[in-house]
Amino acid sequence: MDRICLKDKEFELFIPEQQIREAIEGMAVEIRKDIEGENPLFVSILNGAFMFTAELMRQLDGPYEMTFARYSSYRGTSTTGRVNEILPVTVDVRGRLVILLEDIVDTGTTMQYVMEKLKSQGASDVKLATMLFKPDAMRCDLTPDYIGLRIPTDFIVGYGLDYDELGRTYKDIYKLVGE
Ligand code: 5GP
Ligand code: MG
């Protein structure tokens, strides 16, 4: 599909599935190298990172521990700047290398909050793997350790990403038309 409609908004095809998969393959190569001999804890950030997590884990194909967490800071198509903890990390992170799996880093507010929190809980290191990164939107002192694709500051949906809870289930990524 070249165009989709979600509620009042129209989106056009932006990144096809194949390109996303190739980007994730590149991330898997780097991550695999860095976790050799380590006992990492992967934390997938719900809901958006579910497809990215599934693809990355299939690529890594190893005996790793992983869990899920959920935060919210986003309403509609713009960030609120506040982070709400909906499902915290319940695994004991003391002394562990934690690798966060995020769908997209925009202003960085959410990940800065989560990374600081896990460090304060005693994680030996906290790394961030994000499928997508909007470098021009960044408002925090934070650089993701693993980045799939860098994109402009457009609002996108698909491959886990939603617009008011719709659109997560598309296999390709679409961007908002106009505005
Ligand atoms: P940040 O805290 O970095 O500003 O925003 C991170 C969260 O905002 C992401 O995990 C994602 O849920 C949401 N987000 C940021 N940009 C987009 C976007 O273009 N599309 C969608 N659907 N969500 C986004
Ligand atoms: Mg998210």
Side-chain angles (χ1 to χ4, degrees):
M1 267 170 293
D2 284 344
R3 285 197 170 222
I4 56 167
C5 266
L6 298 171
K7 293 192 174 170
D8 55 328
K9 305 230 183 291
E10 201 180 354
F11 298 82
E12 64 188 11
L13 184 62
F14 182 42
I15 313 170
E17 180 187 23
Q18 180 59 30
Q19 198 182 330
I20 305 167
R21 188 180 309 125
E22 284 167 14
I24 299 174
E25 279 168 11
M27 299 174 85
V29 169
E30 282 182 63
I31 294 173
R32 192 181 294 111
K33 203 169 57 195
D34 291 356
I35 61 180
E36 221 181 275
E38 298 269 351
N39 175 28
L41 172 69
F42 287 97
V43 178
S44 172
I45 309 299
L46 296 172
N47 293 331
F50 81 96
M51 277 204 200
F52 164 52
T53 300
E55 182 60 36
L56 180 71
M57 287 305 147
R58 291 151 74 127
Q59 301 283 340
L60 289 177
D61 197 28
Y64 309 115
E65 183 177 353
M66 72 157 302
T67 188
F68 297 89
R70 190 172 176 200
Y71 307 86
S72 78
S73 70
Y74 228 71
R75 291 283 170 274
T77 59
S78 69
T79 187
T80 63
R82 285 195 321 274
V83 179
N84 303 309
E85 198 155 36
I86 297 166
L87 173 68
V89 176
T90 51
V91 176
D92 185 356
V93 298
R94 280 176 295 177
R96 305 270 317 256
L97 162 64
V98 177
I99 303 181
L100 296 168
L101 305 180
E102 177 64 306
D103 51 0
I104 187 165
V105 174
D106 184 26
T107 64
T109 313
T110 316
M111 282 306 104
Q112 174 160 282
Y113 171 86
V114 178
M115 291 175 92
E116 275 168 19
K117 176 134 199 206
L118 292 169
K119 278 179 195 154
S120 78
Q121 289 174 347
S124 58
D125 197 4
V126 183
K127 292 195 165 174
L128 172 57
T130 188
M131 174 173 74
L132 302 167
F133 182 42
K134 293 180 178 172
D136 304 332
M138 177 54 69
R139 278 192 238 140
C140 300
D141 181 20
L142 178 149
T143 315
D145 299 275
Y146 310 99
I147 297 169
L149 296 164
R150 286 172 180 77
I151 62 166
T153 314
D154 297 308
F155 184 76
I156 58 157
V157 296
Y159 210 90
L161 290 141
D162 72 302
Y163 167 54
D164 277 354
E165 297 307 324
L166 295 178
R168 295 188 196 284
T169 46
Y170 286 105
K171 67 181 175 59
D172 304 303
I173 290 176
Y174 295 82
K175 79 171 177 193
L176 186 61
V177 177
E179 295 188 33

